Each structure stands twice: as structure tokens, then as C-alpha cells.
Amino acid sequence: GDSVTQMEGPVTLSEEAFLTINCTYTATGYPSLFWYVQYPGEGLQLLLKATKADDKGSNKGFEATYRKETTSFHLEKGSVQVSDSAVYFCALSEGGGSNYKLTFGKGTLLTVNP
Amino acid sequence: DAGITQSPRHKVTETGTPVTLRCHQTENHRYMYWYRQDPGHGLRLIHYSYGVKDTDKGEVSDGYSVSRSKTEDFLLTLESATSSQTSVYFCATASAGNYEQYFGPGTRLTVT
């Protein structure tokens, strides 16, 4: 079955540092890939997505590129802020054939210190 | 953002009692999902619905049942709550053709 593996946390960075959170996947078809973010006490929000190989998703300074050859979708940001402190989830969907179900990684807690 | 509400937002209950959580959406989305979130496990799918009265099991469905009698409401029932069901429960919705899911604010359930 499908699975998503993302780097174990927690990750602690200083403000303005470079962020990378690794995500790799296994899937039977051609999934769409997502990064969701969860701020303390809240539900998940979509951060960015990519629907086909070589697509780059970007939002709020974060970006991730869908790499089919390495089955990866690593999240990056050039300069993190304290407000980026949250839990980040990588996820995939095989679409309508699987009723748009999402398969999630276990999440990575990011803490950014001033 | 999709209009998704969950009720109650917090609940404490005793082992062996029945509990029903409600998810309500105003977006007319066809698909609805219930997840639980636990430390070290991320989000795990409990049950989902692909239409009114159409539901199926997810990966952690034991001890849970669901019902969907109308598009906007998806109920999750714990027939006899156990301490292992202490968790944060999230509802999500999706529309056909759009792979993105929209999440509610969550319900924190504590079973004592």
C-alpha cells in the first residue's frame, strides 16, 4: 500500500535559518503530493501541493518539488520565522480511484527560536 | 476556507459510555473523513464517506462506527469508549476532482 516517510523531529532552528524537511513516498500509481501545516491548537491547513512530476508547489516562502525519480517531495524555506513554528505533515493522494483519501507521514515538529 | 465545524470541541467521558462526535460542513463536499491524531502516529483514517449513506472503513476502524444521513453531517460514534480512544479527532472534507482535503478544528476526547 501507499506510505509516506518524513524526517523525525523535532527540528529546532534559529530565526532566518534555512529549513529542509525530507519526505519520501511509495505509491502504486501517480499520486498528488501535499504539505500540510498544523499550528498549535488548530486543525491542518494545506501549505502547498504538486500534482505531477517536476511540479513545484510554493506558498508563504515554502517550496517543494515533486521528484518522481527519487520519490521525494522535500519541503524547504530559505529563512524561517518564529511564526513558522508548527507541525508539518507530508501527504499523498491517489485521487478519485481511492476516494481522495490522504496518506500522511507522522509529522515533523518545527520550533523556531528568535 | 471550507466551512467545517466539529462538536463538541472538548469532551471528557468515562470508560464504557457511548460518545458521538459531529462534523458539519457547509461546502456541499461529497467526501468526508474522520481521523485521529496521536503522538508518534500522525493522522490515521478511521472511516470515510463517499456520499450520503455510503461509508467505508479506514485503517483504525475497530471500536468506531459512522453515519451520514445528509450531505452536510458526518457522525462518528464510539459505542463503548475505552481509554485507548483518548485522542484528538479531526474531520475533513473533499470535493470530487479536487485532491485537497479541508480540515475542521478538531475535538479533544478524553476517556477516563
Side-chain angles (χ1 to χ4, degrees):
Chain A
D2 295 349
S3 67
V4 174
T5 302
Q6 61 182 101
M7 63 186 285
E8 300 270 336
V11 174
T12 303
L13 296 173
S14 298
E15 206 164 25
E16 298 184 2
F18 185 86
L19 169 70
T20 300
I21 301 177
N22 290 336
C23 172
T24 58
Y25 67 90
T26 59
T28 53
Y30 300 94
S32 291
L33 302 175
F34 305 85
W35 278 101
Y36 279 83
V37 59
Q38 183 181 32
Y39 298 104
E42 298 184 9
L44 278 71
Q45 306 173 24
L46 180 67
L47 180 60
L48 54 83
K49 65 182 180 183
T51 58
K52 61 183 187 297
D54 300 323
D55 270 1
K56 177 186 283 189
S58 61
N59 186 25
K60 299 180 181 179
F62 291 89
E63 47 183 46
T65 301
Y66 188 163
R67 301 287 188 199
K68 187 169 181 290
E69 64 276 14
T70 55
T71 62
S72 65
F73 192 55
H74 305 320
L75 182 68
E76 296 182 336
K77 186 175 185 183
S79 177
V80 294
Q81 306 300 311
V82 172
S83 57
D84 294 326
S85 297
V87 181
Y88 293 82
F89 292 93
C90 186
L92 69 82
S93 172
E94 299 260 31
S98 67
N99 290 304
Y100 301 99
K101 291 182 291 183
L102 287 173
T103 300
F104 285 93
K106 293 185 177 181
T108 302
L109 173 63
L110 170 66
T111 301
V112 180
N113 294 319
Chain B
D1 289 339
I4 304 171
T5 56
Q6 294 184 230
S7 58
R9 294 292 313 280
H10 302 271
K11 186 169 182 66
V12 179
T13 192
E14 293 184 348
T15 299
T17 60
V19 176
T20 295
L21 308 183
R22 179 180 183 238
C23 178
H24 179 78
Q25 58 133 334
T26 59
E27 299 298 314
N28 201 36
H29 286 172
R30 175 181 172 185
Y31 299 88
M32 298 185 75
Y33 311 85
W34 276 108
Y35 297 91
R36 60 177 290 172
Q37 183 178 24
D38 304 288
H41 291 279
L43 274 82
R44 294 180 291 175
L45 183 65
I46 304 171
H47 281 281
Y48 66 98
S49 170
Y50 48 96
V52 174
K53 294 188 167 53
D54 293 323
T55 65
D56 204 350
K57 297 178 179 179
E59 63 178 299
V60 290
S61 59
D62 287 348
Y64 301 94
S65 63
V66 290
S67 66
R68 192 170 178 201
S69 60
K70 47 186 177 178
T71 299
E72 56 266 36
D73 289 327
F74 193 32
L75 304 180
L76 177 71
T77 297
L78 291 66
E79 300 291 347
S80 177
T82 67
S83 58
S84 65
Q85 294 175 312
T86 291
S87 187
V88 180
Y89 292 85
F90 287 99
C91 173
T93 71
S95 59
N98 185 351
Y99 288 38
E100 176 181 350
Q101 288 187 15
Y102 300 85
F103 283 79
T107 293
R108 182 173 295 276
L109 176 67
T110 302
V111 183
T112 61

